[in-house]
Amino acid sequence: MAGGPNSNDFGTNRILHHTTGEPDFHQEMRAFKEVTCMQTQIVHLEDAHSLLDAAVAAAMRNSKPVYISVCCNLAGEVHPSFAGDPVPFGLAPKVTNERSLDAAVKYASDFMNKAVKPVMVGGVKMRWPGKAQDAFIHLSEAGQYPVAMQPSAKGFFPENHKRFLGTYWGQVSSPYCSEVVESCDVYMFVGAIHNDYSSVGYSLLLKKEKMIDVDLFRVTIGGRHTFGCVNMRDFLNAMAKAVKPNSTAWDNFQRMYVPAAEVPQSAPDSPLRTNILFKHVQQMLTADTAVLVETGDSWFNGQKMKLPEGCLYEFQMQFGSIGWSVGATLGYAQALKGKKRVIASIGDGSFQVTAQDVSTMIRYGLNPVIFLINNGGYTIEVEIHDGPYNTIQNWDYAGLVQCFDNHQGNVFSTKARTEEQLKEAIEEAHKNADKLCFIECFTHRDDCSKELLEWGSRVASANGRPPNPQ
């Protein structure tokens, strides 16, 4: 919600500030059109109530932001439509077409029940706006199917569940996960997004004729049969009553699975490594924590962590915007204040884009633990397309956060160059549970996960495809 021009200026030929110098008062609407699901301008009091209702409804229905511009001379005005106490706002849900649902369930259940090795894969739309997490778990248990999650849906399914495979992310999946998923003769994807990042440069070994694709209000079976007006949650609940138990794919996984080795302790005074850092972050996780990771190598290291029951996890993959995590940590910590402590992993290059949001965190008394990985540049870009533009001006990050605090004592910040220094820093972070804790971790420029190397080379290959001949 933003302040707009005075309502008397609309329809005139005046030039105002906060514009490009043209008498055009709709520039902001067009600027926000591509990143919001609705834009509205409140210019008249008479229709303000209905326009606000429409905008709020759009935000709730789509689980996406809206943009509301209110004329600066109207914001404090009184109007009868806003009189009295606020009325609770509610929306009627989209209604499933029962005949379409019955047909979808018949085709899909036959498809699953005839399969030798069925599997389920959850995606990010399963949570918002699908609100289908419980129904997803219910179906998986009814069918005794193994479950994998797309990377952007990590944490949406209990990771201590007895038939949890891990993250399905093509060649950078959890150990043995992609082999199980891609060898199945039927895979049900629920709320999935299939983009170049989640498909590792379009290299997944999946076939449409083997897939049941469950979207928010549409089900597609085998790449052929499509059923619309079917709510995701209603479909999953109905499927739970129609499927036959089949744990064959899970049995195969158990036979081949070998647990990953533990990361060994560093030699005394040896430089800190990224895998050592995340080993200690893993040990911090409880039901009272929430994890947030920035675009970059933290994506891959975060996927390897095992989330205890109740531990939340967030990361942003569709746009892949660097710097997102600093502002997101601010909002996440504010939303979870008094409930869970946010643990954020942020790269130095990303941090430089939105570092000032840490000042707002301090102002509001938020207490996240921020691990700033200082490796002197954009490591993920180095692995996709290296060049001098991936090296950045180094900052004294821990010192900068102290400057934001301005000697008020609301921050603990320190630097860690070895495992011992890291352990000491984490111990202090636990002691300062009511403060923002900032730990600047120094790692080598080329210290990254093997998954980033694999993923980066495949995405680089996809980006580098020559143009088709005309």
Side-chain angles (χ1 to χ4, degrees):
M1 183 173 285
N6 187 290
S7 61
N8 297 301
D9 290 326
F10 283 84
T12 70
N13 204 37
R14 294 168 179 159
I15 295 175
L16 300 180
H17 65 283
H18 293 331
T19 70
T20 58
E22 300 291 331
D24 177 0
F25 303 153
H26 301 284
Q27 294 173 349
E28 56 177 331
M29 297 292 108
R30 297 195 298 273
F32 279 91
K33 182 178 179 180
E34 300 303 325
V35 292
T36 59
C37 67
M38 183 176 179
Q39 314 81 41
T40 190
Q41 283 182 315
I42 309 298
V43 182
H44 308 287
L45 285 174
E46 290 74 18
D47 61 359
H49 197 288
S50 61
L51 291 175
L52 286 170
D53 274 359
V56 171
M60 293 174 64
R61 186 176 291 114
N62 297 287
S63 292
K64 292 183 182 295
V66 295
Y67 186 82
I68 303 170
S69 176
V70 181
C71 286
C72 58
N73 61 324
L74 300 185
E77 293 296 309
V78 177
H79 191 266
S81 61
F82 292 96
D85 295 330
V87 177
F89 192 85
L91 285 178
K94 282 190 177 180
V95 179
T96 290
N97 182 303
E98 292 298 329
R99 293 183 64 182
S100 186
L101 173 63
D102 291 343
V105 171
K106 180 182 182 301
Y107 272 90
S109 59
D110 286 347
F111 204 63
M112 292 289 277
N113 290 336
K114 290 177 182 177
V116 177
K117 293 188 297 181
V119 67
M120 293 177 66
V121 182
V124 67
K125 288 188 285 185
M126 186 176 76
R127 181 178 64 170
W128 296 109
K131 302 178 182 177
Q133 286 173 266
D134 290 341
F136 182 85
I137 296 171
H138 181 42
L139 174 56
S140 74
E141 292 178 343
Q144 297 180 11
Y145 305 132
V147 172
M149 302 303 286
Q150 286 195 307
S152 54
K154 181 177 175 65
F156 294 3
F157 187 84
E159 297 196 355
N160 60 351
H161 193 279
K162 59 184 177 182
R163 281 186 291 273
F164 179 60
L165 294 173
T167 299
Y168 174 63
W169 200 355
Q171 289 78 7
V172 294
S173 299
S174 300
Y176 308 99
C177 183
S178 65
E179 292 84 355
V180 169
V181 172
E182 294 174 353
S183 66
C184 286
D185 53 341
V186 171
Y187 16 79
M188 178 187 286
F189 279 78
V190 180
I193 293 179
H194 304 285
N195 61 21
D196 56 335
Y197 276 10
S198 66
S199 66
V200 196
Y202 313 111
S203 62
L204 302 183
L205 301 178
L206 300 175
K207 297 181 179 179
K208 286 186 178 180
E209 57 267 28
K210 296 182 178 182
M211 183 184 296
I212 300 175
D213 191 6
V214 185
D215 209 348
L216 296 173
F217 292 99
R218 184 170 298 275
V219 178
T220 303
I221 302 166
R224 298 174 58 197
H225 304 289
T226 299
F227 304 88
C229 300
V230 176
N231 177 279
M232 178 188 291
R233 185 173 60 252
D234 293 341
F235 173 77
L236 296 176
N237 282 327
M239 279 290 290
K241 302 174 183 177
V243 296
K244 299 175 182 178
N246 186 342
S247 62
T248 303
W250 175 252
D251 297 336
N252 287 352
F253 173 78
Q254 284 189 305
R255 281 190 285 268
M256 71 174 76
Y257 180 74
V258 177
E262 293 289 327
V263 177
Q265 185 171 338
S266 297
D269 296 325
S270 62
L272 182 63
R273 303 195 312 270
T274 303
N275 56 11
I276 291 290
L277 166 60
F278 279 90
K279 178 183 77 171
H280 288 282
V281 173
Q282 172 72 70
Q283 295 169 0
M284 297 175 68
L285 304 188
T286 69
D288 297 322
T289 57
V291 180
L292 190 146
V293 297
E294 174 61 276
T295 301
D297 195 31
S298 293
W299 274 1
F300 306 94
N301 290 299
Q303 291 295 324
K304 297 176 187 178
M305 292 194 291
K306 307 297 182 186
L307 303 181
E309 186 173 359
C311 181
L312 304 180
Y313 187 92
E314 296 292 338
F315 88 127
Q316 177 267 124
M317 190 176 182
Q318 173 56 42
F319 202 97
S321 174
I322 65 170
W324 160 85
S325 66
V326 188
T329 298
L330 165 59
Y332 207 27
Q334 180 68 35
L336 296 175
K337 190 174 184 179
K339 302 173 185 176
K340 296 178 186 289
R341 192 176 196 187
V342 175
I343 299 173
S345 171
I346 305 174
D348 49 356
S350 299
F351 185 79
Q352 289 197 7
V353 180
T354 48
Q356 69 274 14
D357 282 334
V358 174
S359 179
T360 307
M361 297 180 207
I362 298 170
R363 175 189 173 193
Y364 284 101
L366 306 180
N367 67 335
V369 180
I370 298 175
F371 291 93
L372 188 288
I373 302 174
N374 185 344
N375 54 18
Y378 301 112
T379 298
I380 190 170
E381 297 298 338
V382 168
E383 305 309 332
I384 296 175
H385 193 282
D386 198 8
Y389 37 77
N390 289 326
T391 300
I392 60 176
Q393 174 67 29
N394 207 359
W395 292 359
D396 179 0
Y397 297 96
L400 176 65
V401 172
Q402 287 291 353
C403 289
F404 288 152
D405 182 54
N406 195 23
H407 307 292
Q408 294 182 21
N410 297 319
V411 162
F412 165 74
S413 71
T414 188
K415 301 181 180 184
R417 289 181 167 84
T418 67
E419 183 174 9
E420 280 303 313
Q421 291 176 355
L422 176 65
K423 290 163 66 175
E424 292 170 3
I426 292 174
E427 185 176 343
E428 287 299 317
H430 286 310
K431 293 178 182 177
N432 290 274
D434 59 335
K435 296 181 180 180
L436 184 148
C437 295
F438 189 93
I439 304 173
E440 182 179 352
C441 303
F442 291 83
T443 62
H444 192 276
R445 176 184 172 87
D446 294 321
D447 180 4
C448 68
S449 63
K450 69 180 183 63
E451 288 80 9
L452 174 56
L453 298 177
E454 176 73 29
W455 182 88
S457 63
R458 290 179 179 273
V459 170
S461 178
N463 290 346
R465 289 168 294 166
N468 290 324
Q470 302 298 317

